[in-house]
Every structure is written in C-alpha cells, then in structure tokens.
PDB file of all heavy atoms in Angstrom:
ATOM      1  N   PHE P   1      12.434   4.086  -3.539  1.00  0.00           N
ATOM      2  CA  PHE P   1      13.400   3.953  -4.645  1.00  0.00           C
ATOM      3  C   PHE P   1      14.864   4.230  -4.267  1.00  0.00           C
ATOM      4  O   PHE P   1      15.775   4.053  -5.028  1.00  0.00           O
ATOM      5  CB  PHE P   1      12.973   4.918  -5.742  1.00  0.00           C
ATOM      6  CG  PHE P   1      11.728   4.375  -6.477  1.00  0.00           C
ATOM      7  CD1 PHE P   1      10.597   5.111  -6.455  1.00  0.00           C
ATOM      8  CD2 PHE P   1      11.807   3.239  -7.171  1.00  0.00           C
ATOM      9  CE1 PHE P   1       9.444   4.682  -7.122  1.00  0.00           C
ATOM     10  CE2 PHE P   1      10.712   2.780  -7.897  1.00  0.00           C
ATOM     11  CZ  PHE P   1       9.527   3.551  -7.770  1.00  0.00           C
ATOM     12  N   SER P   2      15.093   4.815  -3.095  1.00  0.00           N
ATOM     13  CA  SER P   2      16.437   5.156  -2.710  1.00  0.00           C
ATOM     14  C   SER P   2      16.919   4.351  -1.506  1.00  0.00           C
ATOM     15  O   SER P   2      16.429   4.574  -0.371  1.00  0.00           O
ATOM     16  CB  SER P   2      16.526   6.672  -2.353  1.00  0.00           C
ATOM     17  OG  SER P   2      17.728   7.072  -1.913  1.00  0.00           O
ATOM     18  N   SER P   3      17.907   3.628  -1.753  1.00  0.00           N
ATOM     19  CA  SER P   3      18.489   2.687  -0.604  1.00  0.00           C
ATOM     20  C   SER P   3      19.194   3.629   0.424  1.00  0.00           C
ATOM     21  O   SER P   3      19.134   3.399   1.621  1.00  0.00           O
ATOM     22  CB  SER P   3      19.276   1.646  -1.053  1.00  0.00           C
ATOM     23  OG  SER P   3      20.492   2.206  -1.830  1.00  0.00           O
ATOM     24  N   ALA P   4      19.803   4.653   0.009  1.00  0.00           N
ATOM     25  CA  ALA P   4      20.550   5.571   0.949  1.00  0.00           C
ATOM     26  C   ALA P   4      19.512   6.306   1.859  1.00  0.00           C
ATOM     27  O   ALA P   4      19.725   6.349   3.030  1.00  0.00           O
ATOM     28  CB  ALA P   4      21.355   6.584   0.132  1.00  0.00           C
ATOM     29  N   TYR P   5      18.481   6.696   1.269  1.00  0.00           N
ATOM     30  CA  TYR P   5      17.382   7.402   2.077  1.00  0.00           C
ATOM     31  C   TYR P   5      16.745   6.469   2.942  1.00  0.00           C
ATOM     32  O   TYR P   5      16.403   6.694   4.160  1.00  0.00           O
ATOM     33  CB  TYR P   5      16.270   8.125   1.162  1.00  0.00           C
ATOM     34  CG  TYR P   5      15.389   8.911   1.852  1.00  0.00           C
ATOM     35  CD1 TYR P   5      15.591  10.091   2.495  1.00  0.00           C
ATOM     36  CD2 TYR P   5      14.015   8.439   1.989  1.00  0.00           C
ATOM     37  CE1 TYR P   5      14.645  10.797   3.175  1.00  0.00           C
ATOM     38  CE2 TYR P   5      13.064   9.150   2.654  1.00  0.00           C
ATOM     39  CZ  TYR P   5      13.368  10.316   3.268  1.00  0.00           C
ATOM     40  OH  TYR P   5      12.422  10.987   3.949  1.00  0.00           O
ATOM     41  N   ARG P   6      16.480   5.180   2.407  1.00  0.00           N
ATOM     42  CA  ARG P   6      15.873   4.173   3.276  1.00  0.00           C
ATOM     43  C   ARG P   6      16.785   3.870   4.531  1.00  0.00           C
ATOM     44  O   ARG P   6      16.260   3.691   5.637  1.00  0.00           O
ATOM     45  CB  ARG P   6      15.677   2.940   2.436  1.00  0.00           C
ATOM     46  CG  ARG P   6      14.891   1.880   3.021  1.00  0.00           C
ATOM     47  CD  ARG P   6      14.626   0.688   2.181  1.00  0.00           C
ATOM     48  NE  ARG P   6      14.364   1.061   0.797  1.00  0.00           N
ATOM     49  CZ  ARG P   6      15.034   0.635  -0.306  1.00  0.00           C
ATOM     50  NH1 ARG P   6      16.083  -0.150  -0.162  1.00  0.00           N
ATOM     51  NH2 ARG P   6      14.682   1.074  -1.517  1.00  0.00           N
ATOM     52  N   ASP P   7      18.073   3.752   4.304  1.00  0.00           N
ATOM     53  CA  ASP P   7      19.008   3.545   5.459  1.00  0.00           C
ATOM     54  C   ASP P   7      18.929   4.733   6.481  1.00  0.00           C
ATOM     55  O   ASP P   7      18.910   4.562   7.693  1.00  0.00           O
ATOM     56  CB  ASP P   7      20.430   3.355   4.992  1.00  0.00           C
ATOM     57  CG  ASP P   7      20.636   2.137   4.157  1.00  0.00           C
ATOM     58  OD1 ASP P   7      19.740   1.149   4.299  1.00  0.00           O
ATOM     59  OD2 ASP P   7      21.546   1.961   3.361  1.00  0.00           O
ATOM     60  N   GLU P   8      18.821   5.887   5.866  1.00  0.00           N
ATOM     61  CA  GLU P   8      18.820   7.103   6.731  1.00  0.00           C
ATOM     62  C   GLU P   8      17.543   7.114   7.629  1.00  0.00           C
ATOM     63  O   GLU P   8      17.604   7.417   8.794  1.00  0.00           O
ATOM     64  CB  GLU P   8      18.889   8.366   5.809  1.00  0.00           C
ATOM     65  CG  GLU P   8      18.761   9.679   6.558  1.00  0.00           C
ATOM     66  CD  GLU P   8      18.664  10.841   5.594  1.00  0.00           C
ATOM     67  OE1 GLU P   8      19.353  10.787   4.607  1.00  0.00           O
ATOM     68  OE2 GLU P   8      17.942  11.784   5.961  1.00  0.00           O
ATOM     69  N   VAL P   9      16.394   6.728   7.004  1.00  0.00           N
ATOM     70  CA  VAL P   9      15.178   6.822   7.675  1.00  0.00           C
ATOM     71  C   VAL P   9      15.176   5.701   8.757  1.00  0.00           C
ATOM     72  O   VAL P   9      14.693   5.798   9.853  1.00  0.00           O
ATOM     73  CB  VAL P   9      13.995   6.741   6.764  1.00  0.00           C
ATOM     74  CG1 VAL P   9      12.657   6.412   7.444  1.00  0.00           C
ATOM     75  CG2 VAL P   9      13.775   7.906   5.913  1.00  0.00           C
ATOM     76  N   ASP P  10      15.624   4.421   8.363  1.00  0.00           N
ATOM     77  CA  ASP P  10      15.665   3.416   9.303  1.00  0.00           C
ATOM     78  C   ASP P  10      16.582   3.719  10.465  1.00  0.00           C
ATOM     79  O   ASP P  10      16.218   3.330  11.594  1.00  0.00           O
ATOM     80  CB  ASP P  10      16.102   2.065   8.609  1.00  0.00           C
ATOM     81  CG  ASP P  10      15.142   1.481   7.578  1.00  0.00           C
ATOM     82  OD1 ASP P  10      13.899   2.001   7.643  1.00  0.00           O
ATOM     83  OD2 ASP P  10      15.496   0.763   6.674  1.00  0.00           O
ATOM     84  N   ALA P  11      17.695   4.345  10.235  1.00  0.00           N
ATOM     85  CA  ALA P  11      18.547   4.784  11.426  1.00  0.00           C
ATOM     86  C   ALA P  11      17.938   5.758  12.303  1.00  0.00           C
ATOM     87  O   ALA P  11      17.900   5.686  13.438  1.00  0.00           O
ATOM     88  CB  ALA P  11      19.857   5.297  10.861  1.00  0.00           C
ATOM     89  N   ARG P  12      17.190   6.710  11.706  1.00  0.00           N
ATOM     90  CA  ARG P  12      16.420   7.682  12.375  1.00  0.00           C
ATOM     91  C   ARG P  12      15.283   7.092  13.243  1.00  0.00           C
ATOM     92  O   ARG P  12      15.059   7.571  14.366  1.00  0.00           O
ATOM     93  CB  ARG P  12      15.943   8.844  11.486  1.00  0.00           C
ATOM     94  CG  ARG P  12      15.441  10.045  12.134  1.00  0.00           C
ATOM     95  CD  ARG P  12      15.157  11.133  11.241  1.00  0.00           C
ATOM     96  NE  ARG P  12      14.143  10.654  10.186  1.00  0.00           N
ATOM     97  CZ  ARG P  12      13.983  11.116   8.994  1.00  0.00           C
ATOM     98  NH1 ARG P  12      14.891  11.895   8.542  1.00  0.00           N
ATOM     99  NH2 ARG P  12      13.160  10.553   8.084  1.00  0.00           N
ATOM    100  N   LEU P  13      14.675   6.044  12.704  1.00  0.00           N
ATOM    101  CA  LEU P  13      13.454   5.514  13.466  1.00  0.00           C
ATOM    102  C   LEU P  13      13.883   4.371  14.308  1.00  0.00           C
ATOM    103  O   LEU P  13      13.045   3.768  15.026  1.00  0.00           O
ATOM    104  CB  LEU P  13      12.457   5.023  12.370  1.00  0.00           C
ATOM    105  CG  LEU P  13      11.769   6.128  11.636  1.00  0.00           C
ATOM    106  CD1 LEU P  13      10.805   5.487  10.571  1.00  0.00           C
ATOM    107  CD2 LEU P  13      10.895   7.055  12.546  1.00  0.00           C
ATOM    108  N   SER P  14      15.192   3.994  14.314  1.00  0.00           N
ATOM    109  CA  SER P  14      15.555   2.759  15.126  1.00  0.00           C
ATOM    110  C   SER P  14      15.349   2.976  16.546  1.00  0.00           C
ATOM    111  O   SER P  14      15.116   1.994  17.315  1.00  0.00           O
ATOM    112  CB  SER P  14      17.041   2.374  14.704  1.00  0.00           C
ATOM    113  OG  SER P  14      17.882   3.448  15.169  1.00  0.00           O
ATOM    114  N   ASP P  15      15.527   4.143  17.110  1.00  0.00           N
ATOM    115  CA  ASP P  15      15.407   4.422  18.538  1.00  0.00           C
ATOM    116  C   ASP P  15      13.979   4.833  18.909  1.00  0.00           C
ATOM    117  O   ASP P  15      13.807   5.120  20.052  1.00  0.00           O
ATOM    118  CB  ASP P  15      16.416   5.482  19.037  1.00  0.00           C
ATOM    119  CG  ASP P  15      16.258   6.742  18.339  1.00  0.00           C
ATOM    120  OD1 ASP P  15      15.750   6.809  17.207  1.00  0.00           O
ATOM    121  OD2 ASP P  15      16.773   7.712  18.802  1.00  0.00           O
ATOM    122  N   ARG P  16      13.090   4.827  17.971  1.00  0.00           N
ATOM    123  CA  ARG P  16      11.754   5.231  18.230  1.00  0.00           C
ATOM    124  C   ARG P  16      10.935   4.031  18.615  1.00  0.00           C
ATOM    125  O   ARG P  16      11.270   2.913  18.374  1.00  0.00           O
ATOM    126  CB  ARG P  16      11.031   5.996  16.926  1.00  0.00           C
ATOM    127  CG  ARG P  16      11.879   7.097  16.467  1.00  0.00           C
ATOM    128  CD  ARG P  16      11.765   8.199  17.446  1.00  0.00           C
ATOM    129  NE  ARG P  16      12.516   9.337  16.999  1.00  0.00           N
ATOM    130  CZ  ARG P  16      12.183  10.654  16.993  1.00  0.00           C
ATOM    131  NH1 ARG P  16      11.049  10.928  17.642  1.00  0.00           N
ATOM    132  NH2 ARG P  16      13.031  11.565  16.696  1.00  0.00           N
ATOM    133  N   GLY P  17       9.653   4.301  19.129  1.00  0.00           N
ATOM    134  CA  GLY P  17       8.777   3.186  19.489  1.00  0.00           C
ATOM    135  C   GLY P  17       8.190   2.487  18.325  1.00  0.00           C
ATOM    136  O   GLY P  17       8.165   2.947  17.173  1.00  0.00           O
ATOM    137  N   VAL P  18       7.650   1.365  18.626  1.00  0.00           N
ATOM    138  CA  VAL P  18       6.973   0.479  17.572  1.00  0.00           C
ATOM    139  C   VAL P  18       5.878   1.160  16.983  1.00  0.00           C
ATOM    140  O   VAL P  18       5.577   1.134  15.752  1.00  0.00           O
ATOM    141  CB  VAL P  18       6.755  -0.885  18.149  1.00  0.00           C
ATOM    142  CG1 VAL P  18       5.981  -1.735  17.159  1.00  0.00           C
ATOM    143  CG2 VAL P  18       7.988  -1.623  18.655  1.00  0.00           C
ATOM    144  N   VAL P  19       5.110   1.808  17.820  1.00  0.00           N
ATOM    145  CA  VAL P  19       3.784   2.420  17.345  1.00  0.00           C
ATOM    146  C   VAL P  19       4.162   3.580  16.431  1.00  0.00           C
ATOM    147  O   VAL P  19       3.509   3.748  15.305  1.00  0.00           O
ATOM    148  CB  VAL P  19       2.989   2.991  18.545  1.00  0.00           C
ATOM    149  CG1 VAL P  19       1.802   3.707  18.076  1.00  0.00           C
ATOM    150  CG2 VAL P  19       2.606   1.804  19.463  1.00  0.00           C
ATOM    151  N   LEU P  20       5.183   4.438  16.773  1.00  0.00           N
ATOM    152  CA  LEU P  20       5.602   5.489  15.847  1.00  0.00           C
ATOM    153  C   LEU P  20       6.132   4.970  14.441  1.00  0.00           C
ATOM    154  O   LEU P  20       5.797   5.469  13.438  1.00  0.00           O
ATOM    155  CB  LEU P  20       6.640   6.340  16.458  1.00  0.00           C
ATOM    156  CG  LEU P  20       7.039   7.524  15.681  1.00  0.00           C
ATOM    157  CD1 LEU P  20       5.963   8.541  15.504  1.00  0.00           C
ATOM    158  CD2 LEU P  20       8.209   8.230  16.302  1.00  0.00           C
ATOM    159  N   ARG P  21       6.872   3.856  14.551  1.00  0.00           N
ATOM    160  CA  ARG P  21       7.349   3.347  13.207  1.00  0.00           C
ATOM    161  C   ARG P  21       6.176   2.711  12.504  1.00  0.00           C
ATOM    162  O   ARG P  21       6.186   2.914  11.259  1.00  0.00           O
ATOM    163  CB  ARG P  21       8.431   2.215  13.613  1.00  0.00           C
ATOM    164  CG  ARG P  21       9.747   2.824  13.874  1.00  0.00           C
ATOM    165  CD  ARG P  21      10.749   1.690  13.972  1.00  0.00           C
ATOM    166  NE  ARG P  21      10.435   0.942  15.228  1.00  0.00           N
ATOM    167  CZ  ARG P  21      11.092  -0.060  15.756  1.00  0.00           C
ATOM    168  NH1 ARG P  21      12.168  -0.564  15.023  1.00  0.00           N
ATOM    169  NH2 ARG P  21      10.806  -0.668  16.807  1.00  0.00           N
ATOM    170  N   ALA P  22       5.304   2.079  13.084  1.00  0.00           N
ATOM    171  CA  ALA P  22       4.081   1.576  12.390  1.00  0.00           C
ATOM    172  C   ALA P  22       3.303   2.654  11.756  1.00  0.00           C
ATOM    173  O   ALA P  22       2.826   2.520  10.634  1.00  0.00           O
ATOM    174  CB  ALA P  22       3.283   0.716  13.354  1.00  0.00           C
ATOM    175  N   TRP P  23       3.105   3.774  12.526  1.00  0.00           N
ATOM    176  CA  TRP P  23       2.424   4.813  12.021  1.00  0.00           C
ATOM    177  C   TRP P  23       3.021   5.460  10.839  1.00  0.00           C
ATOM    178  O   TRP P  23       2.500   5.784   9.848  1.00  0.00           O
ATOM    179  CB  TRP P  23       2.169   5.899  13.120  1.00  0.00           C
ATOM    180  CG  TRP P  23       1.531   7.200  12.615  1.00  0.00           C
ATOM    181  CD1 TRP P  23       2.139   8.348  12.404  1.00  0.00           C
ATOM    182  CD2 TRP P  23       0.192   7.322  12.207  1.00  0.00           C
ATOM    183  NE1 TRP P  23       1.269   9.298  11.878  1.00  0.00           N
ATOM    184  CE2 TRP P  23       0.104   8.722  11.816  1.00  0.00           C
ATOM    185  CE3 TRP P  23      -0.910   6.588  12.190  1.00  0.00           C
ATOM    186  CZ2 TRP P  23      -1.095   9.188  11.292  1.00  0.00           C
ATOM    187  CZ3 TRP P  23      -2.102   7.082  11.684  1.00  0.00           C
ATOM    188  CH2 TRP P  23      -2.212   8.378  11.238  1.00  0.00           C
ATOM    189  N   TYR P  24       4.412   5.612  10.871  1.00  0.00           N
ATOM    190  CA  TYR P  24       5.079   6.257   9.895  1.00  0.00           C
ATOM    191  C   TYR P  24       4.945   5.336   8.545  1.00  0.00           C
ATOM    192  O   TYR P  24       4.731   5.947   7.480  1.00  0.00           O
ATOM    193  CB  TYR P  24       6.563   6.306  10.228  1.00  0.00           C
ATOM    194  CG  TYR P  24       7.540   6.995   9.274  1.00  0.00           C
ATOM    195  CD1 TYR P  24       7.661   8.311   9.156  1.00  0.00           C
ATOM    196  CD2 TYR P  24       8.225   6.220   8.338  1.00  0.00           C
ATOM    197  CE1 TYR P  24       8.476   8.906   8.257  1.00  0.00           C
ATOM    198  CE2 TYR P  24       9.073   6.816   7.377  1.00  0.00           C
ATOM    199  CZ  TYR P  24       9.154   8.209   7.364  1.00  0.00           C
ATOM    200  OH  TYR P  24       9.974   8.783   6.422  1.00  0.00           O
ATOM    201  N   PHE P  25       5.132   4.065   8.581  1.00  0.00           N
ATOM    202  CA  PHE P  25       5.015   3.220   7.448  1.00  0.00           C
ATOM    203  C   PHE P  25       3.547   3.035   6.967  1.00  0.00           C
ATOM    204  O   PHE P  25       3.348   2.992   5.766  1.00  0.00           O
ATOM    205  CB  PHE P  25       5.658   1.795   7.755  1.00  0.00           C
ATOM    206  CG  PHE P  25       7.155   1.976   7.915  1.00  0.00           C
ATOM    207  CD1 PHE P  25       7.801   1.627   9.170  1.00  0.00           C
ATOM    208  CD2 PHE P  25       7.954   2.372   6.864  1.00  0.00           C
ATOM    209  CE1 PHE P  25       9.123   1.739   9.324  1.00  0.00           C
ATOM    210  CE2 PHE P  25       9.298   2.537   7.058  1.00  0.00           C
ATOM    211  CZ  PHE P  25       9.890   2.109   8.213  1.00  0.00           C
ATOM    212  N   ALA P  26       2.565   3.137   7.895  1.00  0.00           N
ATOM    213  CA  ALA P  26       1.216   3.050   7.461  1.00  0.00           C
ATOM    214  C   ALA P  26       0.809   4.354   6.707  1.00  0.00           C
ATOM    215  O   ALA P  26       0.193   4.327   5.747  1.00  0.00           O
ATOM    216  CB  ALA P  26       0.305   2.982   8.729  1.00  0.00           C
ATOM    217  N   TRP P  27       1.311   5.511   7.256  1.00  0.00           N
ATOM    218  CA  TRP P  27       1.069   6.732   6.474  1.00  0.00           C
ATOM    219  C   TRP P  27       1.679   6.762   5.211  1.00  0.00           C
ATOM    220  O   TRP P  27       1.197   7.256   4.156  1.00  0.00           O
ATOM    221  CB  TRP P  27       1.605   7.998   7.370  1.00  0.00           C
ATOM    222  CG  TRP P  27       1.576   9.214   6.495  1.00  0.00           C
ATOM    223  CD1 TRP P  27       2.691   9.885   6.075  1.00  0.00           C
ATOM    224  CD2 TRP P  27       0.424   9.916   6.027  1.00  0.00           C
ATOM    225  NE1 TRP P  27       2.285  10.962   5.347  1.00  0.00           N
ATOM    226  CE2 TRP P  27       0.954  11.004   5.311  1.00  0.00           C
ATOM    227  CE3 TRP P  27      -0.960   9.706   6.068  1.00  0.00           C
ATOM    228  CZ2 TRP P  27       0.044  11.934   4.664  1.00  0.00           C
ATOM    229  CZ3 TRP P  27      -1.750  10.567   5.479  1.00  0.00           C
ATOM    230  CH2 TRP P  27      -1.318  11.741   4.810  1.00  0.00           C
ATOM    231  N   GLY P  28       2.957   6.286   5.044  1.00  0.00           N
ATOM    232  CA  GLY P  28       3.759   6.200   3.855  1.00  0.00           C
ATOM    233  C   GLY P  28       2.946   5.331   2.766  1.00  0.00           C
ATOM    234  O   GLY P  28       2.789   5.622   1.637  1.00  0.00           O
ATOM    235  N   THR P  29       2.470   4.179   3.255  1.00  0.00           N
ATOM    236  CA  THR P  29       1.716   3.271   2.354  1.00  0.00           C
ATOM    237  C   THR P  29       0.488   3.893   1.878  1.00  0.00           C
ATOM    238  O   THR P  29       0.097   3.786   0.723  1.00  0.00           O
ATOM    239  CB  THR P  29       1.428   1.948   3.178  1.00  0.00           C
ATOM    240  OG1 THR P  29       2.566   1.443   3.594  1.00  0.00           O
ATOM    241  CG2 THR P  29       0.721   0.972   2.292  1.00  0.00           C
ATOM    242  N   LEU P  30      -0.217   4.601   2.827  1.00  0.00           N
ATOM    243  CA  LEU P  30      -1.457   5.324   2.364  1.00  0.00           C
ATOM    244  C   LEU P  30      -1.157   6.332   1.347  1.00  0.00           C
ATOM    245  O   LEU P  30      -1.957   6.546   0.331  1.00  0.00           O
ATOM    246  CB  LEU P  30      -2.169   5.862   3.579  1.00  0.00           C
ATOM    247  CG  LEU P  30      -3.416   6.674   3.391  1.00  0.00           C
ATOM    248  CD1 LEU P  30      -4.535   5.653   2.857  1.00  0.00           C
ATOM    249  CD2 LEU P  30      -3.920   7.336   4.616  1.00  0.00           C
ATOM    250  N   ALA P  31      -0.144   7.121   1.560  1.00  0.00           N
ATOM    251  CA  ALA P  31       0.284   8.208   0.707  1.00  0.00           C
ATOM    252  C   ALA P  31       0.715   7.602  -0.709  1.00  0.00           C
ATOM    253  O   ALA P  31       0.267   8.152  -1.758  1.00  0.00           O
ATOM    254  CB  ALA P  31       1.417   9.015   1.154  1.00  0.00           C
ATOM    255  N   LEU P  32       1.365   6.469  -0.765  1.00  0.00           N
ATOM    256  CA  LEU P  32       1.677   5.824  -1.970  1.00  0.00           C
ATOM    257  C   LEU P  32       0.473   5.421  -2.821  1.00  0.00           C
ATOM    258  O   LEU P  32       0.361   5.720  -4.023  1.00  0.00           O
ATOM    259  CB  LEU P  32       2.595   4.649  -1.826  1.00  0.00           C
ATOM    260  CG  LEU P  32       4.018   4.881  -1.288  1.00  0.00           C
ATOM    261  CD1 LEU P  32       4.777   3.639  -1.030  1.00  0.00           C
ATOM    262  CD2 LEU P  32       4.806   5.744  -2.331  1.00  0.00           C
ATOM    263  N   PHE P  33      -0.432   4.736  -2.132  1.00  0.00           N
ATOM    264  CA  PHE P  33      -1.665   4.298  -2.863  1.00  0.00           C
ATOM    265  C   PHE P  33      -2.487   5.474  -3.220  1.00  0.00           C
ATOM    266  O   PHE P  33      -3.022   5.516  -4.387  1.00  0.00           O
ATOM    267  CB  PHE P  33      -2.458   3.393  -1.924  1.00  0.00           C
ATOM    268  CG  PHE P  33      -1.908   2.000  -1.820  1.00  0.00           C
ATOM    269  CD1 PHE P  33      -1.744   1.526  -0.590  1.00  0.00           C
ATOM    270  CD2 PHE P  33      -1.625   1.260  -2.925  1.00  0.00           C
ATOM    271  CE1 PHE P  33      -1.178   0.169  -0.414  1.00  0.00           C
ATOM    272  CE2 PHE P  33      -1.117   0.011  -2.789  1.00  0.00           C
ATOM    273  CZ  PHE P  33      -0.844  -0.556  -1.589  1.00  0.00           C
ATOM    274  N   ALA P  34      -2.503   6.532  -2.440  1.00  0.00           N
ATOM    275  CA  ALA P  34      -3.398   7.752  -2.755  1.00  0.00           C
ATOM    276  C   ALA P  34      -2.717   8.428  -4.007  1.00  0.00           C
ATOM    277  O   ALA P  34      -3.409   8.863  -4.893  1.00  0.00           O
ATOM    278  CB  ALA P  34      -3.506   8.688  -1.631  1.00  0.00           C
ATOM    279  N   SER P  35      -1.425   8.527  -4.135  1.00  0.00           N
ATOM    280  CA  SER P  35      -0.752   9.087  -5.217  1.00  0.00           C
ATOM    281  C   SER P  35      -1.056   8.258  -6.546  1.00  0.00           C
ATOM    282  O   SER P  35      -1.217   8.939  -7.527  1.00  0.00           O
ATOM    283  CB  SER P  35       0.687   9.270  -5.048  1.00  0.00           C
ATOM    284  OG  SER P  35       1.404   8.116  -4.997  1.00  0.00           O
ATOM    285  N   VAL P  36      -1.006   7.055  -6.428  1.00  0.00           N
ATOM    286  CA  VAL P  36      -1.231   6.226  -7.602  1.00  0.00           C
ATOM    287  C   VAL P  36      -2.781   6.479  -8.037  1.00  0.00           C
ATOM    288  O   VAL P  36      -3.093   6.504  -9.195  1.00  0.00           O
ATOM    289  CB  VAL P  36      -1.064   4.696  -7.266  1.00  0.00           C
ATOM    290  CG1 VAL P  36      -1.575   3.899  -8.392  1.00  0.00           C
ATOM    291  CG2 VAL P  36       0.457   4.428  -7.048  1.00  0.00           C
TER     292      VAL P  36
END
C-alpha cells in the first residue's frame, strides 16, 4: 500500500542477490495470504 516504502525496500534489495530477493517476496506473499 505504500509506494514510498516500496521504493525504500526496492533500493535496499537492489544490491542483494536474486535468491534473497525471491525469498523476501515469497515470504511476504505467504504472510499476506496467511493474514487474509
């Protein structure tokens, strides 16, 4: 819901590896579905 936070997270994860970014977004998706 927050574009500013999204930009901040994307900037923080830009220098990280692909696996770490995929894990971060997979965990976030799982947490969203679990909260619903």
